[in-house]
Amino acid sequence: MSTQDTLKNGDRPPTVAQQIARFAASATYGDIPEGGRQRLKTCVLDAIGCAIGALEMEPMQIIRDQIDDFGGTEHCTLIGGGRSAPDRTALYNGALVGYLDFNDSYLGRNGTCHPSDNLAGVLAAAEYADRTGSELLTALAVAYEVQCRLTESLPIMKKGFDHSTLLTCASAAGISRALGLDEERTANAIAIGCASALALTATQSYPLSQWKGLAAARAVSMCTSTTFLAMRGITGPMQVFEGRQGLFETVNEEADIDWEHAGFEHVAGITLKKYDAEVHAQSVVAATLALRERHAFSPADVEAIDVEVFSAACEIAGAGTWGGRRNVHTREDADHSIPYLAAVAILDGQVQPAQYVRSRILSRDVQDLLQRVSVHRRFEYTRRYPEEVPCRVAVELRDGRTFSVEVQDFEGFHSRPMPLENVVEKFRRLASPCASAELQERIIETAVELEGRTVAELTGLLARPCPPDS
């Protein structure tokens, strides 16, 4: 224990907030393994594609209208043009990244999160502080690692709290690193963020609302604001994790993490989504599409679809404790419904943003077929999760024939990373309605070479996408 810790805590060891702060403040770009660096850059490109792809969504227009109405000093770039204060920029850009539910994921035994939810706050802080691309990546790596480690250790969603609760701890660490805060101010930022963060899992329960795709952005916006307060000297409850009425006591769980020797191994284990669907359902979509391609049956001949999955997939997107998944009327219902995803994959041969247009969700063919999808959990698959995400999909035809397939994972899963060319193809597909081919190429080039660029170069490009009717 250092002299500094002794002066602050007497004879007590540093608190968890102080341990995380030391990890964050001491991190360097050189600490990140080469594989982690490459994965981070692809995650940045993937998140930017998701953001540009969401520019025309109605909730984004509502948030943008409110930001324009309320104003704010123009420190930071809003994706699609304009500038605002860091916390409001984090809200808008974060909503863009997360709303399609197409951004990256981390799958742990005790929970799941979207690490790229951190990007908007870290990017705003890095732009505010005029950082380099390597400094942005370092701060983002800190946020990713903190969120993944906490998610792996604390089953907070089973305790009734949304995953955005832990996001604030990670964002505070990453934003602090981007701002160059010392250990003390970083610890205060983490403490304030965590103490202000508890959000309910009701956000993820049926019936789903638009807030499902916006809660993380709200958390990061709040955390951006409170981290700037910590930068200016506001102190936080340093015992927020392990103290009386702290996070560990509240959720009746403790995170035993060795922050002193923590590295960046989790960064290389991030999953990217190939399909626009809840992450636990990715293998179901992959299996369904494989069946459709191999056997070339007519969707009109399908009598029933039977899906066997691991427990987490059944709970979240099947028919588990978070509510039924056959009453599907909105985008939010649909992307978290295995019955809808299997049905629309059979009918359309793809699951992309086009499958969430309201007229498609409500169409008779998909509504009829999703009622004939059954979802079951299988103990063997649960035992293999999260090292694998196995499932079995069987399609029964009206003439009595049955076809089935079993898969262990999908392209983009952490053990089968999505090749860069496929990440680029996904980016282009999402960005094309709002970004010219020339602008797409410049964004791709900047993201791939981010360690040699500046944050200002990146944000200058992000200001340029524009929806066709703007």
Side-chain angles (χ1 to χ4, degrees), residues 60 92 129 150 402:
M60 306 305 104
Y92 180 65
L150 290 174
T402 298

Side-chain angles (χ1 to χ4, degrees), residues 172-418:
I175 293 167
S176 295
R177 183 65 186 83
L179 293 173
L181 303 191
D182 60 20
E183 286 182 33
E184 181 178 0
R185 291 174 191 263
T186 300
N188 281 311
I190 293 167
I192 297 170
C194 183
S196 309
L198 293 180
L200 297 179
T201 312
T203 298
Q204 307 290 336
S205 299
Y206 181 83
L208 290 163
S209 69
Q210 291 174 337
W211 195 246
K212 184 265 290 182
L214 304 176
R218 191 282 316 173
V220 171
S221 175
M222 179 275 294
C223 197
T224 303
S225 178
T226 56
T227 300
F228 272 87
L229 289 175
M231 179 186 76
R232 299 175 192 277
I234 298 296
T235 62
M238 211 54 61
Q239 73 289 359
V240 65
F241 287 94
E242 67 273 60
R244 292 300 307 274
Q245 308 302 316
L247 180 63
F248 294 165
E249 186 174 305
T250 300
V251 301
N252 196 30
E253 297 280 351
E254 291 192 15
D256 185 17
I257 301 171
D258 182 5
W259 291 107
E260 183 179 355
H261 299 100
F264 289 97
E265 58 268 24
H266 288 76
V267 172
I270 302 302
T271 287
L272 295 183
K273 291 183 177 182
K274 184 174 183 178
Y275 311 106
D276 190 2
E278 201 275 333
V279 67
H280 298 94
Q282 294 285 308
S283 53
V284 173
V285 176
T288 305
L289 292 175
L291 273 178
R292 186 182 191 274
E293 181 177 353
R294 290 175 192 175
H295 301 288
F297 50 79
S298 169
D301 293 334
V302 175
E303 176 67 26
I305 303 171
D306 186 76
V307 180
E308 292 181 292
V309 290
F310 49 96
S311 182
C314 189
E315 288 293 318
I316 295 170
T321 57
W322 290 9
R325 296 306 192 203
R326 284 199 179 95
N327 193 3
V328 176
H329 295 95
T330 66
R331 177 193 171 86
E332 290 76 20
D333 290 334
D335 66 25
H336 270 53
S337 166
I338 287 176
Y340 178 83
L341 296 168
V344 82
I346 289 288
L347 290 163
D348 294 1
Q350 60 181 337
V351 178
Q352 298 296 324
Q355 275 60 58
Y356 298 108
V357 175
R358 184 166 175 78
S359 60
R360 185 66 190 114
I361 294 172
L362 298 179
S363 60
R364 178 169 295 183
D365 58 349
V366 72
Q367 286 289 330
D368 175 66
L369 186 54
L370 75 85
Q371 301 302 327
R372 288 180 274 134
V373 179
S374 57
V375 184
H376 316 279
R377 70 191 77 213
R378 186 168 173 177
F379 174 76
E380 177 195 345
Y381 292 164
T382 301
R383 181 180 56 80
R384 289 154 57 184
Y385 175 84
E387 288 75 22
E388 297 177 6
V389 280
C391 76
R392 179 182 179 274
V393 177
V395 173
E396 179 186 349
L397 302 185
R398 297 186 190 278
D399 62 10
R401 288 180 297 161
T402 298
F403 304 115
S404 67
V405 67
E406 182 180 64
V407 301
Q408 319 308 319
D409 56 23
F410 55 90
E411 182 186 287
F413 189 58
H414 64 79
S415 61
R416 187 152 65 101
M418 189 181 295

